[in-house]
Amino acid sequence: EESTSRTTKKKLVAVVGGGLVGSLNACFFAKRGFDVEVFEIREDIRKAKVVRGRSINLALSHRGRQALKHVGIEEKIVSQGIPMQARMIHSLNGKQYPIPYGRKGQVSLSVNNIATFSYYAICRLTEYSTMRLSYCCVFRPDGSKVQIKADLIVGCDGAFSATRKQFLRRSRFNYSQTYIPHGYMELTMPPVNGEFAMKPNYLHIWPRNTFMMIALPNLDRTFTCTLFMPFEDFEKITTGDEVIKFFQKYFPDTIPLIGVDALKRDYFRLPAQAMVSVKCSPYHIDDKCVLMGDAAHAVVPFYGQGMNAGFEDCIVFDEMMEQFNEDFSAVLPEYSRVRVPDDHAIADLAMYNYIEMRAHVNSKWFLFRKHVDNLLHFLMPKTIIPLYTMVTFTRTRYHEAVQRWHWQNKVRSFLKIYASL
Ligand SMILES: Cc1cc2nc3c(=O)[nH]c(=O)nc-3n(C[C@H](O)[C@H](O)[C@H](O)COP(=O)(O)OP(=O)(O)OC[C@H]3O[C@@H](n4cnc5c(N)ncnc54)[C@H](O)[C@@H]3O)c2cc1C
Ligand SMILES: COc1ccc2c(c1)CN(c1nc(C(=O)N(C)c3cc(Cl)c(F)cc3C(=O)O)c(Cl)s1)C2
């Protein structure tokens, strides 16, 4: 029977979206003793046979790991991830050059997407007795809605968020989205005699200016290769032979590793996927609703930070819940005030990196820039910290990392002028 002894009724938090950020966020709220209900449009991940995620594997770095650590699942995820201690640059002549990310411990982890993470997060959730999972769509495709009576709604329903769509109807809500002309396609590189086809503890990169391919290792000793190319170039390749010809020209060393038949087949399995950059503000409505993850800020993947930024959203929000004693009317506006500039900064950084890579990033550029960065950092470790080090291996606020990077560029150009005198 209803326990009358309790003075305050437990508050209910409804999380829309049970993807990477939604399921992690639910852990944060459940840990605080809230009743949490997660609404996920797709079937229960724990029963799903086929993993359907936007990218098969992702680079998990410091920001994301700090969030996982907060709810006690960092070790579980790290044990399922493969550390990448350096980049392996594949030049056109087939030569490979490793470029370390930094000091020994500074690694990114290649983790399997939805399957590994959400599974552990949801299992963690069910350990908190206050957890309920409803596999249904909050806003049904026919527009009808599930009635939720909750004290707080957290929109974690991804780049095409239905929760955010409700924000669009309000005045003073800012929104922008940009589709880039590049698409991406994922291809699998199988093991060779049961072993990884390439060195596993690296982020493999084939930088070819307009075209680029990267490969991250998976636990099952495959690599997931992600080919980035303008849609118009994807469309020019219409037959298996044209695929092989294209790979012979730009990625010759990968043909024997992916396999001619697999290339011809897998290239036409799915069309190239689009990449969108979404910015909006504010992230909240009064003390009622808040957006996090891709629902708040979808970024192009050219910094490997989308999930890490979404996970960091959860820590930042939780820190404010602590600071304002869980008073939503104080936490939500403060969350928008602090987090919008940082998430916009990483969106800009990722877009800048895309434009930089498309323009003049080939093996020589990569080698030159990364060795210069590492050299300057070695000479003036406190003054020159490579931008990707601040972004990937620290929790420096994204907008501060960008400010510092601008300042360092001034120092760098001054040094160049000084050196040339
Ligand atoms: C090619 C590529 C490579 C990437 N690489 C990296 C990387 O290396 N590192 C990194 O940090 N990030 C990377 N990202 C970004 C990362 O995938 C996203 O930032 C991350 O998935 C965002 O998680 P999310 O939970 O906010 O959204 P999603 O993962 O999209 O989850 C949203 C969830 O909400 C559900 N949903 C949607 N609509 C509704 C609704 N109306 N009702 C109920 N449920 C709903 C969906 O089914 C889904 O489960 C990459 C992205 C791409 C495309
Ligand atoms: C699964 O799909 C994807 C797609 C893109 C990425 C990832 C996974 C993981 N990514 C990472 N990027 C950085 C980084 O900081 N930069 C500047 C880089 C940016 C690009 Cl595009 C690149 F090719 C190398 C580096 C590099 O420095 O290694 C990391 Cl550190 S991890 C990009």
Side-chain angles (χ1 to χ4, degrees):
E1 116 262 308
E2 183 58 30
S3 58
T4 47
S5 58
R6 267 183 319 193
T7 46
T8 51
K9 187 179 166 314
K10 250 191 215 302
K11 287 191 173 177
L12 171 65
V13 174
V15 176
V16 183
L20 291 168
V21 174
S23 21
L24 177 65
N25 234 340
C27 289
F28 272 84
F29 285 107
K31 187 167 180 269
R32 284 188 168 274
F34 286 91
D35 270 345
V36 184
E37 181 143 17
V38 178
F39 293 88
E40 168 52 49
I41 205 170
R42 292 178 304 173
E43 62 172 344
D44 187 340
I45 190 82
R46 294 167 291 185
K47 292 187 209 121
K49 287 161 288 303
V50 180
V51 166
R52 196 184 65 79
R54 281 228 308 294
S55 170
I56 308 279
N57 55 10
L58 310 159
L60 171 70
S61 40
H62 183 69
R63 295 170 199 269
R65 287 183 60 166
Q66 290 297 92
L68 299 177
K69 181 191 240 165
H70 199 95
V71 290
I73 51 175
E74 183 194 16
E75 280 327 303
K76 261 229 173 27
I77 300 298
V78 168
S79 65
Q80 306 277 322
I82 298 175
M84 301 181 287
Q85 85 247 4
R87 309 158 183 90
M88 185 62 85
I89 310 296
H90 293 247
S91 58
L92 208 45
N93 61 20
K95 278 215 180 98
Q96 301 185 22
Y97 305 93
I99 303 180
Y101 276 115
R103 290 194 299 277
K104 195 101 186 62
Q106 290 181 324
V107 298
S108 281
L109 279 165
S110 173
V111 294
N112 180 273
N113 193 356
I114 296 276
T116 316
F117 171 69
S118 294
Y119 175 75
Y120 282 116
I122 289 172
C123 292
R124 181 87 191 163
L125 291 182
T126 42
E127 285 164 31
Y128 297 115
S129 58
T130 57
M131 265 310 307
R132 277 198 304 281
L133 290 170
S134 314
Y135 285 97
C136 72
C137 169
V138 176
F139 302 92
R140 291 198 188 93
D142 64 8
S144 63
K145 293 190 192 103
V146 173
Q147 289 304 325
I148 320 171
K149 186 98 188 70
D151 296 288
L152 177 69
I153 296 180
V154 188
C156 304
D157 43 348
F160 308 100
S161 163
T163 317
R164 187 183 62 225
K165 224 169 269 167
Q166 309 306 317
F167 280 57
L168 278 169
R169 297 159 45 177
R170 297 171 61 89
S171 76
R172 299 182 62 201
F173 177 67
N174 306 302
Y175 176 79
S176 71
Q177 72 178 41
T178 310
Y179 278 93
I180 57 174
H182 272 62
Y184 74 91
M185 179 181 285
E186 293 183 325
L187 300 161
T188 301
M189 187 183 281
V192 174
N193 306 326
E195 278 310 313
F196 280 104
M198 302 184 294
K199 289 196 167 113
N201 296 102
Y202 293 84
L203 195 154
H204 292 265
I205 308 166
W206 293 259
R208 303 285 186 269
N209 292 338
T210 338
F211 314 131
M212 183 177 84
M213 190 151 76
I214 73 162
L216 275 71
N218 295 307
L219 266 186
D220 62 0
R221 297 198 174 140
T222 60
F223 279 92
T224 300
C225 305
T226 309
L227 170 62
F228 294 99
M229 195 156 72
F231 278 105
E232 61 189 16
D233 291 297
F234 272 116
E235 282 144 20
K236 280 181 204 149
I237 299 173
T238 56
T239 69
D241 292 341
E242 286 170 346
V243 176
I244 302 304
K245 220 160 64 198
F246 176 77
F247 269 72
Q248 263 157 356
K249 187 162 188 237
Y250 293 104
F251 312 109
D253 56 330
T254 66
I255 297 180
L257 300 178
I258 297 177
V260 170
D261 296 341
L263 256 181
K264 287 182 173 180
R265 188 188 61 237
D266 292 352
Y267 182 89
F268 299 104
R269 191 169 47 87
L270 279 173
Q273 305 291 306
M275 288 173 276
V276 70
S277 180
V278 170
K279 276 179 168 178
C280 73
S281 69
Y283 289 158
H284 74 288
I285 294 177
D286 305 331
D287 59 350
K288 299 273 177 303
C289 187
V290 62
L291 300 173
M292 295 199 214
D294 276 19
H297 47 75
V299 301
V300 289
F302 298 93
Y303 232 104
Q305 281 298 312
M307 162 188 64
N308 286 289
F311 282 3
E312 192 176 50
D313 289 350
C314 303
I315 318 179
V316 170
F317 189 86
D318 193 65
E319 283 162 354
M320 289 174 190
M321 285 282 271
E322 198 57 36
Q323 189 185 350
F324 295 98
N325 195 24
E326 302 185 356
D327 171 4
F328 294 152
S329 62
V331 171
L332 269 62
E334 177 69 1
Y335 176 73
S336 284
R337 188 185 70 80
V338 168
R339 196 59 184 163
V340 164
D342 286 330
D343 285 330
H344 285 198
I346 187 60
D348 297 342
L349 263 185
M351 189 62 85
Y352 170 84
N353 217 35
Y354 159 68
I355 290 161
E356 170 110 341
M357 301 204 91
R358 166 183 78 178
H360 47 243
V361 171
N362 50 37
S363 327
K364 282 184 286 303
W365 179 92
F366 235 106
L367 291 165
F368 173 69
R369 278 298 299 268
K370 296 303 167 188
H371 284 307
V372 164
D373 278 349
N374 290 345
L375 174 71
L376 285 174
H377 182 46
F378 176 73
L379 296 174
M380 301 172 267
K382 285 282 170 283
T383 320
I384 303 281
I385 305 175
L387 179 64
Y388 73 82
T389 303
M390 286 193 269
V391 168
T392 313
F393 301 120
T394 79
R395 276 206 58 205
T396 308
R397 289 185 64 183
Y398 284 126
H399 89 277
E400 284 169 9
V402 171
Q403 278 169 352
R404 192 173 169 134
W405 173 57
H406 286 315
W407 178 80
Q408 286 179 176
N409 285 345
K410 286 199 183 71
V411 168
R412 193 200 303 257
S413 47
F414 170 72
L415 287 175
K416 269 193 210 129
I417 296 164
Y418 188 69
S420 66
L421 293 181

